[in-house]
Amino acid sequence: MTTILCYFMLICVATLCISLVAGTIQSMYDEYKRDKRAEAQEKRDTEYHRERMKREQEEAAHNLEYHEKRMKELE
């Protein structure tokens, strides 16, 4: 009877250890994927910001040109 209980406890401890190791590995993998996604998102955000600033500068130059032309026409 004592031997059966010892084996049962050993199996329970081994199962717990395997579960903890598997959970740790899964957490590390998920964190790795999350970091990669965050890195890619940051790269896309930087590119989007650069393109947006370029468009805004072009629009500002266009508006300035338009207003200067309009002012000359009004004179």
Side-chain angles (χ1 to χ4, degrees):
M1 184 69 175
T2 305
T3 307
I4 294 172
L5 287 176
C6 285
Y7 285 139
F8 179 72
M9 290 299 291
L10 185 61
I11 290 171
C12 287
V13 169
T15 304
L16 178 64
C17 288
I18 290 171
S19 297
L20 289 174
V21 169
T24 302
I25 291 171
Q26 184 177 8
S27 294
M28 289 171 53
Y29 180 70
D30 289 342
E31 186 175 332
Y32 174 76
K33 287 188 345 185
R34 190 178 316 117
D35 288 345
K36 286 292 185 184
R37 273 181 283 184
E39 200 173 285
Q41 180 68 37
E42 185 176 330
K43 193 175 188 180
R44 283 191 305 270
D45 288 349
T46 302
E47 184 63 30
Y48 174 76
H49 179 71
R50 185 177 304 126
E51 289 295 322
R52 184 175 174 199
M53 289 296 112
K54 183 180 174 184
R55 282 192 311 265
E56 285 184 8
Q57 287 176 350
E58 289 172 355
E59 185 179 345
H62 175 73
N63 287 342
L64 179 63
E65 183 182 325
Y66 171 77
H67 288 295
E68 286 176 349
K69 221 185 254 187
R70 183 77 174 133
M71 291 303 288
K72 285 181 182 176
E73 288 176 2
L74 292 175
E75 290 178 350

